[in-house]
Each structure stands twice: as structure tokens, then as C-alpha cells.
Amino acid sequence: MKSFFQFLTEATQSQASMQAKKLNLKSDGHGGWLDTRGNFVATTEKGKLVFLDKKKAKAQEEPGKKPVAKAQEPEKAKAKAKPEEEPKAKAKAPEGEDSGEMMSDTLTVAFGRFNPPTVGHEKLLKAAEKAAQGGDLKIYPSRTQDPKKNPLDPDMKISYMKKMFPDFEENIVNDDEMKSIFNVLVTASEQGYGSVNIIVGSDRQAEFENLATKYNGDLYDFNQIRVISAGVRDADAEGIEGMSASKMRKAVMDDDFESFRRGTPKSLDDGDVQALFDAVRQGMGAKKKKKEVTELWQIAPKCDPRGLREQYVNGFIYRIGDIVENLNTGLIGEIIRRGTNHLICVTQENYMFKSWIRDVMEYTEVKMNRRMRVPGKPNTLDGTTGYLKNAMAMTGTTDIKNFINKYKKK
């Protein structure tokens, strides 16, 4: 029979295991964790993952150097006493002649929905290019797809992005593992980048800055994280400044091709624009010249804030316990608190985040593979692998084989 201490130990280890699995880390069997390249990056301490700095990680990989790593810990503490001086020096480096050394250690990223891509997004990509200053630049389109706010599937969306923004074709990354900004930052940290620039619209700068810096040193480890605004966004402005994916989806709903055309680059020919228009319409499930497809607040909440507000205040949407996805960061969590116009949510790994009601959607992912939607709530979504795993666990089933009766009459 297991002792009470053993039960506690296994419980804490399972929490660390869940977090490690989310970050694609593999156990070495002795409380340590390896990244996708086989590097030692974290240990299990008091039931939580503790990420190591590069010096300590190397010591763990080379057993002969373990005593040296322990002797250097006081130096690490001293180095942490001067956190403000190093970032300032690094922030000025791009303007100087010695910026090449920093660029090799800095990654500039842009993470967004781009659904559908617009001329406004081109402004974002150019701002990212400027911030990178010749260094590494990666653009990560989100992976979410749904009929209301994300009508294009990731592959189609990225295909159109490369047509619309040919100068950034090599920078646009199609990786189905990059579902949230956390996935992007963890991967960048694993790849050895010491600093990261995150380019966002001005209306999302505070959200990304708070979220990215909050978990630095926990999920990932950067010397410096800069969240840079791509410029002011004005929904009421004409032209590029006021263009948004919400307006593009509204144009499709209204069957207004001319307005949709104004939201695409002039370099894109009419045939490609028409194809994109039709793809968005198909993804939304809208029929030609049928305007009553769905309510405006559902597909373009920024264009109908009053409708969204009424639904929220009356308690029709985003209730306590509902699972939602932040459309800006890709984070998925359970609503634990409702504010006047915002939500406080917690992810499966117990990471808390705040979202404006205009920036979230109900999470209805049908490809959820995990058994628990959130801690304490089993996955019961029909058609998902997670639901199958729960059913197998409850019935004691260990294996399932697909059987096709080839003799059955059709």
C-alpha cells in the first residue's frame, strides 16, 4: 500500500507532467525535462516545472560539471540584481554600429488571426520588419477556425497571405503547434534566442506586454521582451488605418465585393480577390445575397459593440464556467470572473489571463485530444479524441480497432 507521502509526490509530479506535456517537453526519468532538441531545460521542483538558465542546463547535460554549476549560483543571483541595466543597453543596440551581435540573439515575431488578411495587416508586417532590422523575423498566423470570426482554415489563410505579402513569404510560418503566443515564446526560448520583440496593434499592446512578461522565467527565459506597437488603429478611419478583418467579414455578409476589394492590396488581381471573397463566404456558411446570415456582433463584434454588450449583460454569452479562446493570444481557459466588459480566465495549466469580451469566442474545438477540458471538468465534446479516452477509461477499454464489414450490403 502506498504511503500518504507517495500519494502527494505523485500528485505534484502529475501537475508538472501536464505542464511539460503542454510545452512538448520529454522526461529524462529522473525529474528532469528535455526540449524537442534533446537539451536539458527544466526540473521538477515542488510539483512545478522550473526552467534552468543556459549555464545550469549545460551542467546538467555534462555530469562532470555539476559542482561548477552549483558554485556559480551566487553569481547568477548577483546578475539578477541588475536586471534594468542590461535591457537598456540592449534596447539602444539596434541604433548603433554593433547591432549585428544583438540581432543574432533576438527574434522578432508577429502573432495574429489574419482572418481574412487585409492591407492593415501589411502595415503590421512592415512594422515587424523595421523592428527586426535585418535580424530573424517570424510571422505566426493563429490556427483557430470557425464560421463566425475565423472562416478561413490555416492552410488557406497562409496561402493567401503569401500571395498578398510576397515580401514576407519566407517569414510566414505554417506550424500547427503554434496555437498561442505561449507556444511561440516557448519555442523561441528553446531555440536559444535571448531576446524577443513582439509586434502588435496599439490596441493590444498592453495585453501582450502584461501576458508575455508575467510568465518570463517560468514558461520561457528571455533577457528582454519588448512589445512594440505597429501603429495606432482607428476603426472609424478610412483606408489602411481603419481597415480590419471585422470589416472584411461584414462586407462578405453584406455581399459587398467593392468594400471587400478596398481591404486587399492593389497588387492582388481581381481574380484572386474574388476567390478570397468566395472562400470567406463559404467558410462563414453564407449564401450569396443573403444578408441575414447571423447577427453582426457574432462575426464582427467591433462593428456592433452595442449588440455584443446587450448579449453579455443579459447573460446570454460568456457565463461563469464557460470555456473561451482569446482571439489575440490563442489562450484557452475557463471563465472564473465576469467584469463590466472583460473576463478573467484560467487555462488548464492554471495560468490566468484577462480578455475584453470583444476579443474572445466560445471554445468549440472538435479536435481536443486531452481528457480534461479544464482542471476538474472532463472533456465531453462529441467526436473528440479526449471524449474517447474518457469513455475508454470509464469502461476499462485498453484498445479499439476499427472494423469495416466489407460484405455488408450497400
Side-chain angles (χ1 to χ4, degrees):
M1 181 180 291
K2 296 181 181 178
S3 66
F4 180 67
F5 177 76
Q6 285 177 307
F7 278 111
L8 289 179
T9 302
E10 290 180 3
T12 54
Q13 285 180 344
S14 64
Q15 292 176 11
S17 299
M18 288 175 62
Q19 186 181 359
K21 185 177 180 181
K22 182 73 174 177
L23 301 176
N24 296 323
L25 302 182
K26 294 183 179 180
S27 172
D28 65 355
H30 304 284
W33 299 95
L34 310 176
D35 62 17
T36 53
R37 299 180 299 168
N39 297 326
F40 192 96
V41 295
T43 59
T44 303
E45 296 183 12
K46 296 181 179 180
K48 295 183 179 180
L49 282 184
V50 177
F51 286 85
L52 310 176
D53 60 17
K54 295 177 182 178
K55 291 180 181 179
K56 194 171 181 181
K58 287 182 179 178
Q60 296 283 0
E61 291 173 356
E62 302 175 25
K65 293 185 179 180
K66 281 187 179 180
V68 179
K70 290 183 180 179
Q72 290 179 344
E73 286 182 0
E75 294 182 9
K76 179 183 174 184
K78 291 181 181 178
K80 285 191 175 181
K82 300 179 181 179
E84 297 180 359
E85 295 180 9
E86 293 182 0
K88 288 182 180 178
K90 289 190 177 185
K92 294 180 180 179
E95 298 176 5
E97 295 180 358
D98 297 329
S99 62
E101 198 169 75
M102 176 192 165
M103 287 298 103
S104 62
D105 190 45
T106 301
L107 174 66
T108 300
V109 301
F111 180 89
R113 284 192 291 158
F114 305 101
N115 213 324
T118 74
V119 287
H121 292 137
E122 187 172 25
K123 178 183 177 182
L124 175 76
L125 302 190
K126 288 182 178 179
E129 183 180 39
K130 181 178 180 181
Q133 294 198 4
D136 292 347
L137 169 62
K138 296 182 180 181
I139 301 158
Y140 294 97
S142 66
R143 314 301 299 182
T144 304
Q145 182 188 10
D146 66 271
K148 296 175 182 177
K149 299 177 184 177
N150 300 280
L152 299 178
D153 67 69
D155 292 334
M156 182 179 293
K157 176 174 61 177
I158 290 172
S159 175
Y160 277 107
M161 285 182 68
K162 292 184 176 183
K163 281 186 178 181
M164 295 170 70
F165 317 123
D167 292 342
F168 300 95
E169 184 176 358
E170 298 299 323
N171 306 106
I172 299 173
V173 181
N174 188 359
D175 185 346
D176 57 10
E177 294 297 324
M178 299 297 106
K179 297 179 180 179
S180 75
I181 188 63
F182 280 170
N183 297 131
V184 172
L185 295 177
V186 168
T187 300
S189 182
E190 285 183 359
Q191 292 173 346
Y193 289 103
S195 302
V196 64
N197 299 324
I198 306 173
I199 313 302
V200 297
S202 61
D203 57 336
R204 296 167 183 168
Q205 186 174 10
E207 177 184 13
F208 271 82
E209 192 162 32
N210 176 62
L211 195 63
T213 56
K214 183 177 181 180
Y215 296 106
N216 190 27
D218 185 5
L219 290 177
Y220 37 82
D221 188 10
F222 295 107
N223 298 324
Q224 182 184 24
I225 297 177
R226 295 196 306 168
V227 181
I228 303 171
S229 170
V232 178
R233 299 180 62 177
D234 183 0
D236 298 324
E238 297 293 333
I240 296 177
E241 298 296 332
M243 185 50 60
S244 69
S246 294
K247 288 185 176 180
M248 298 282 275
R249 293 193 299 274
K250 183 179 183 299
V252 172
M253 187 181 74
D254 294 339
D255 197 26
D256 185 356
F257 179 78
E258 292 303 319
S259 295
F260 188 89
R261 182 67 174 98
R262 288 194 292 271
T264 58
K266 295 180 179 179
S267 58
L268 197 66
D269 63 54
D270 289 342
D272 285 332
V273 176
Q274 183 65 60
L276 177 59
F277 183 88
D278 293 339
V280 173
R281 180 165 55 196
Q282 183 178 1
M284 293 173 64
K287 294 182 180 179
K288 191 173 182 180
K289 294 184 179 179
K290 183 178 179 181
K291 297 185 179 182
E292 295 181 2
V293 179
T294 187
E295 295 186 49
L296 181 58
W297 66 266
Q298 291 181 300
I299 65 165
K302 293 180 182 178
C303 298
D304 185 17
R306 180 176 296 180
L308 175 65
R309 174 78 177 160
E310 288 178 357
Q311 293 288 319
Y312 179 68
V313 171
N314 290 326
F316 297 143
I317 57 174
Y318 308 145
R319 295 176 287 268
I320 298 294
D322 285 354
I323 310 300
V324 295
E325 178 177 359
N326 183 300
L327 297 172
N328 298 332
T329 63
L331 295 179
I332 299 168
E334 178 185 9
I335 299 174
I336 61 170
R337 192 182 308 157
R338 297 172 92 245
T340 54
N341 57 359
H342 69 275
L343 304 169
I344 302 298
C345 310
V346 176
T347 69
Q348 185 186 23
E349 296 75 34
N350 291 323
Y351 296 117
M352 186 178 295
F353 64 93
K354 173 182 176 181
S355 295
W356 301 112
I357 59 174
R358 67 171 184 267
D359 292 330
V360 300
M361 61 172 285
E362 293 182 1
Y363 185 69
T364 56
E365 175 63 67
V366 297
K367 297 180 181 179
M368 188 186 292
N369 293 325
R370 59 178 181 269
R371 290 183 57 185
M372 307 298 287
R373 295 183 68 178
V374 292
K377 292 196 174 184
N379 176 10
T380 55
L381 293 176
D382 291 339
T384 63
T385 306
Y387 196 3
L388 172 63
K389 291 177 181 177
N390 277 327
M392 291 175 66
M394 288 187 290
T395 59
T397 305
T398 58
D399 187 32
I400 291 180
K401 294 182 180 180
N402 292 324
F403 176 75
I404 300 176
N405 187 353
K406 62 181 180 179
Y407 300 107
K408 183 178 179 180
K409 293 182 179 180
K410 296 182 180 180

